[in-house]
Amino acid sequence: VTAGLTTVRVPLAERGYDVVVGRGALCRLPSMLPPGARRALVVTQPGVGVAVETGIEQVVVEIGAGEESKTMRTVEALGRAMAQAGITRSDVVVAVGGGLVTDVAGFAAACWHRGTPVVHVATTLLAQVDAAIGGKTGVNLPEGKNLLGAFWQPLGVICDTATLDTLPAPEWRSGFGEVAKYAFIGAAGLASLPIEEQVAACVAVKARVVAADERDSGARLVLNYGHTLAHALEAAGLAAASGDLPGAGPPVLRHGEAVAIGLVFAARLAGALGRIGPERIVEHEEVVRSYGLPGSLPAGAEAASLIELMRRDKKAVGDLTFVLDGPNGVEPVRDVPAELVEQVLAEMPRAASTDEGEA
Ligand SMILES: NC(=O)c1ccc[n+]([C@@H]2O[C@H](COP(=O)([O-])OP(=O)(O)OC[C@H]3O[C@@H](n4cnc5c(N)ncnc54)[C@H](O)[C@@H]3O)[C@@H](O)[C@H]2O)c1
Ligand SMILES: [Zn+2]
């Protein structure tokens, strides 16, 4: 069962670790725990449905779903659960879930006794190719996403693709938005490969980028490709970063779908700046389409407010900064004129509004 497993190393010297990818990779979990650990706090969500066997005494704690659970309140609850379970610094936290669980449990582990080992078992495509790798952990504030956090590398990451068998369609699309991103930063031509190989190829790119820039001081910006517009769509309420949001509002795009739109927009913007030619723009549209992802702006997207939101992007310093393709590959581009951004947004294809009865 485990013959087809692939191990990708995140080469961070003394903080380096393995990411094991493939169907059945979960069997490697016990071997990833710190030697001498006696207890594990397993952090998961009710909807994940992945049982893990750590081989040591384990206490399972469930946290809520959706971005409103990604808070200090949840970190505090996890801290209290660790106290009650008698978790020491030589024990381990095991996060089992999507990026929300790995971000929150990773941050709780970073804080518990000022740093307790964590192992991530990533159970969404997005977490397997992106969130669980690289050591960024954190929670939200009412003022913004991921504002409180820490770099805390895991001891290891398990990407068992069998756990994806139960993943709902929107979560697949969300993950494929990130896979589409990797097509332009080092992992092209994946769409027809088995999912194990796609995940391993994306993990290899992320591992390389993280190793070159562990603390996000430059090179890691390429992982933000397609994300400037995606984050603006999320801030405008047209896309959601995490699954299972409460309330029965209109269906919003998932993060990766917003990234897909952001990729097409970034290509068109790069084209307008003369950085790439028309055939490369078409390539972006084709990659996005090959994953069944949207390449058009959702109904309700308003250029002026999206531009305002993009000015507040963490890359920007009062200007409009994008990560754009070009002759030297994907790189940050500062001071993009607002009129050009507005023009490219105006020329983007638009999704038909569902409540206008469009056939
Ligand atoms: N740390 C990083 O570098 C990084 C990178 C990207 C995203 N993130 C964060 O990740 C979060 C989004 O992660 P996500 O897209 O995985 O969403 P998520 O963690 O909210 O998971 C989506 C939904 O899928 C459910 N689920 C998880 N595994 C399942 C399975 N195997 N079968 C069925 N359902 C399952 C979850 O319970 C949830 O309802 C955001 O908070 C984002 O900020 C972090
Ligand atoms: Zn993303």
Side-chain angles (χ1 to χ4, degrees):
V1 208
T2 63
L5 299 182
T6 303
T7 299
V8 180
R9 183 82 185 161
V10 183
L12 284 168
E14 71 279 10
R15 284 184 300 283
Y17 52 94
D18 287 342
V19 182
V20 183
V21 182
R23 282 193 89 84
L26 250 178
C27 70
R28 296 285 178 83
L29 176 60
S31 71
M32 277 190 174
L33 305 183
R38 291 181 308 141
R39 293 194 178 95
L41 189 87
V42 177
V43 182
T44 189
Q45 280 171 335
V48 173
V50 173
V52 297
E53 262 315 324
T54 55
I56 57 178
E57 193 186 315
Q58 62 184 49
V59 174
V60 180
V61 179
E62 290 181 341
I63 66 172
E67 288 294 306
E68 77 288 341
S69 295
K70 198 176 173 182
T71 60
M72 284 308 284
R73 194 182 287 268
T74 303
V75 173
E76 184 178 356
L78 290 177
R80 297 190 63 188
M82 287 193 259
Q84 285 154 23
I87 301 288
T88 72
R89 270 183 66 182
S90 37
D91 291 321
V92 64
V93 174
V94 178
V96 183
L100 190 140
V101 171
T102 57
D103 273 16
V104 176
F107 187 45
C111 298
W112 181 247
H113 288 306
R114 302 184 185 84
T116 296
V118 64
V119 172
H120 293 316
V121 176
T123 67
T124 64
L125 179 59
L126 185 134
Q128 295 191 352
V129 300
D130 195 354
I133 300 141
K136 283 191 181 179
T137 71
V139 297
N140 303 331
L141 288 176
E143 286 76 9
K145 262 184 63 65
N146 301 325
L147 288 177
L148 290 170
F151 286 100
W152 189 243
Q153 299 294 346
L155 275 195
V157 180
I158 303 272
C159 299
D160 188 335
T161 47
T163 66
L164 304 178
D165 290 349
T166 54
L167 203 62
E171 304 308 331
W172 276 105
R173 289 198 298 276
S174 197
F176 278 131
E178 301 290 353
V179 177
K181 168 189 81 179
Y182 284 108
F184 302 99
I185 58 172
L190 300 180
S192 60
L193 298 179
I195 192 66
E196 292 68 30
E197 289 175 38
Q198 297 198 41
V199 171
C202 295
V203 168
V205 172
K206 177 130 191 193
R208 202 186 313 141
V209 174
V210 166
D213 180 20
E214 183 182 6
R215 295 281 168 124
D216 202 1
S217 51
R220 213 163 153 158
L221 263 184
V222 302
L223 297 169
N224 216 247
Y225 193 42
H227 279 63
T228 315
L229 180 60
H231 288 150
L233 290 168
E234 288 174 1
L238 297 166
S242 275
D244 283 354
L245 291 172
V252 290
L253 296 164
R254 291 289 283 107
H255 172 74
E257 297 177 289
V259 171
I261 298 166
L263 292 172
V264 170
F265 168 72
R268 287 166 164 249
L269 187 58
L273 286 163
R275 294 175 55 86
I276 60 173
E279 62 297 329
R280 184 72 168 160
I281 301 176
V282 170
E283 199 181 328
H284 281 72
E285 291 166 349
E286 282 172 359
V287 166
V288 162
R289 200 177 313 120
S290 72
Y291 286 108
L293 295 167
S296 48
L297 286 176
E302 208 246 303
S305 56
L306 290 174
I307 290 174
E308 226 10 75
L309 291 165
M310 290 191 286
R311 278 188 203 284
R312 286 182 236 157
D313 185 271
K314 66 178 176 187
K315 299 183 291 300
V317 274
D319 65 335
L320 282 162
T321 294
F322 293 89
V323 177
L324 297 177
D325 199 7
N328 309 315
V330 168
E331 61 186 3
V333 178
R334 305 213 162 276
D335 281 318
V336 178
E339 312 76 64
L340 194 67
V341 175
E342 203 175 335
Q343 185 196 320
V344 174
L345 278 174
E347 288 166 3
M348 281 284 284
R350 291 207 163 240
S353 162
T354 41
D355 48 32
E356 276 166 20
E358 189 87 16

